[in-house]
Amino acid sequence: MESQKTDPLLEAIRITMPVMFGYVPIGIAFGLLVTHYGFNWLYSVLMSIVVFSGAAQFIAVALAVSGAGAIEIVLTMLFLNLRHSFFGLSLLNKFEGIGRIKAYLVLALTDETYALITGHNVPERVSSSRFYAYVTGLDHLYWVTGTAMGALLGKVLNMNLNGLEFSLTALFVVLSIEKYRSAKTRFPFIAAIVSGIIAMLFAGSQNMLLVSIIIGTFLLLVYEKINNGVQTDDR
Amino acid sequence: MIAEDVSSIDIIWIIVITALITAFTRALPFIFFRRRKQPECLKVIERDFPAMIMLLLVFYCLNSVSWGMVPYGLPELLCIFVVACLHIWKGNALLSIFTGTIIYMYFTNSGIITVLLTEIIRI
């Protein structure tokens, strides 16, 4: 895009802004929920630091309060978070040789961070490890800050943030359009529409994303197999 | 409901379990392919996954919409349409995202779509 010298931190702040507008209000809601259940505010912040997964945290707290057993919690978490494994599969080479920061990038990978680092190019003359670390670190910071705000000031703030989380939906819409423009093949989008609709209709809301990713991956692999069998060079 | 019977030991355990499992699912592919050779099909995944997942995340965001009830997911669909049009027209990511979000916040907080829909149904 712009060919001028870009400061990697400023660029990271710029591209993570929509995530900030999503994470802070959802973090506030999480912090509020945990203190509402009567836990010390520190637990919500601690959880946001070490877990850093919105859906998992909300459901873990809900399960804990409903008195669910350890096995139920383990299985629910496992299925809920298995999508992260799929994200990692497509990042193996991107994160290769990235240095010591790799462990942090892997352990703090969220849906939104994945979308940002696969949807944006690393600015020129900036090391990818530094840029990815800024993006991941900023997203993490927004989440923890939001949680602390909700836990400490939630009742005082009384802000009307209804609907602000739509910025995450809008971010994914924008990044999908960008991906579509630069795409060499349209099939991933067709696979997403088919598997997305099937999963929305037939999978429970907790497993919708995982189910759609599994169906979509299957479609991608089958399509590749058929295409390679018929023609060897299609682009 | 306030859960007074959930002691602080329990919440610590919940945090530990959630953290460990989340870390495990994130690290799994990297641990698995640390020494193993990557199979051919991973190339397809590496190439096509970001595009597919991006669009699936849009679907995922729409997952909590109740399509059978007024306003039938119309605020979400309208705002996605605005974001997409604006982005195709201007190509400015932040402009598209913030405009869509502001309109969505207006829709949800004013309930205008619900009001309009019930008016239309009455006529």
Side-chain angles (χ1 to χ4, degrees), chain A residues 91-163:
Chain A
L91 293 173
L92 289 173
N93 295 325
K94 220 182 180 76
F95 282 179
E96 187 63 55
I98 213 158
R100 262 183 299 174
I101 198 74
K102 182 175 167 181
Y104 174 66
L105 297 181
V106 169
L107 293 179
L109 186 70
T110 62
D111 300 353
E112 289 73 19
T113 305
Y114 176 83
L116 288 177
I117 63 178
T118 58
H120 288 274
N121 293 324
V122 177
E124 276 179 61
R125 279 174 296 169
V126 171
S127 79
S128 52
S129 63
R130 170 179 279 229
F131 186 64
Y132 295 156
Y134 282 149
V135 170
T136 309
L138 283 167
D139 287 352
H140 205 166
L141 182 69
Y142 304 145
W143 179 239
V144 174
T145 308
T147 308
M149 281 167 73
L152 286 173
L153 317 162
K155 284 170 192 139
V156 188
L157 281 175
N158 200 14
M159 286 183 297
N160 187 1
L161 298 173
N162 273 342

Side-chain angles (χ1 to χ4, degrees), chain B:
Chain B
M1 50 172 177
I2 309 288
E4 274 159 23
D5 52 328
V6 181
S7 66
S8 51
I9 295 294
D10 289 332
I11 186 82
I12 285 288
W13 273 112
I14 302 283
I15 294 174
V16 170
I17 292 174
T18 314
L20 285 180
I21 292 177
T22 311
F24 169 74
T25 56
R26 282 170 173 158
L28 184 62
F30 295 92
I31 296 167
F32 187 82
F33 287 109
R34 198 168 191 169
R35 298 194 201 292
R36 258 166 270 223
K37 199 176 166 293
Q38 294 178 19
E40 199 63 12
C41 65
L42 269 187
K43 276 191 191 142
V44 183
I45 289 179
E46 197 180 341
R47 187 193 64 204
D48 291 347
F49 245 45
M52 182 183 84
I53 297 219
M54 218 68 85
L55 195 52
L56 281 179
L57 285 170
V58 177
F59 280 94
Y60 183 53
C61 289
L62 294 175
N63 203 27
S64 53
V65 173
S66 1
W67 302 102
M69 267 162 48
V70 182
Y72 309 109
L74 222 56
E76 286 80 8
L77 294 180
L78 276 175
C79 291
I80 286 178
F81 182 73
V82 168
V83 172
C85 289
L86 202 56
H87 197 65
I88 291 165
W89 178 37
K90 290 281 186 186
N92 182 333
L94 289 183
L95 177 77
S96 324
I97 292 166
F98 291 140
T99 311
T101 306
I102 288 166
I103 298 174
Y104 184 78
M105 287 179 82
Y106 171 69
F107 281 171
T108 35
N109 292 314
S110 65
I112 183 145
I113 302 280
T114 310
V115 172
L116 285 177
L117 277 177
T118 37
E119 279 299 311
I120 292 167
I121 292 164
R122 215 169 24 187
I123 294 164

Side-chain angles (χ1 to χ4, degrees), chain A residues 55-68:
Chain A
Q57 287 177 227
F58 274 101
I59 290 166
V61 171
L63 285 173
V65 172
S66 72

Side-chain angles (χ1 to χ4, degrees), chain A residues 32-110:
Chain A
L32 262 174
L33 181 82
V34 173
T35 41
H36 167 79
Y37 282 140
F39 299 118
N40 190 302
W41 69 275
L42 273 170
Y43 290 121
S44 61
V45 175
L46 177 69
M47 197 171 190
S48 284
I49 293 172
V50 297
V51 179
F52 190 25
S53 169
Q57 287 177 227
F58 274 101
I59 290 166
V61 171
L63 285 173
V65 172
S66 72
I71 294 177
E72 191 186 342
I73 295 177
V74 169
L75 288 177
T76 310
M77 290 299 132
L78 205 56
F79 280 108
L80 188 71
N81 282 326
L82 214 53
R83 66 178 191 281
H84 291 135
S85 301
F86 284 88
F87 295 170
L89 274 184
S90 67
L91 293 173
L92 289 173
N93 295 325
K94 220 182 180 76
F95 282 179
E96 187 63 55
I98 213 158
R100 262 183 299 174
I101 198 74
K102 182 175 167 181
Y104 174 66
L105 297 181
V106 169
L107 293 179
L109 186 70
T110 62

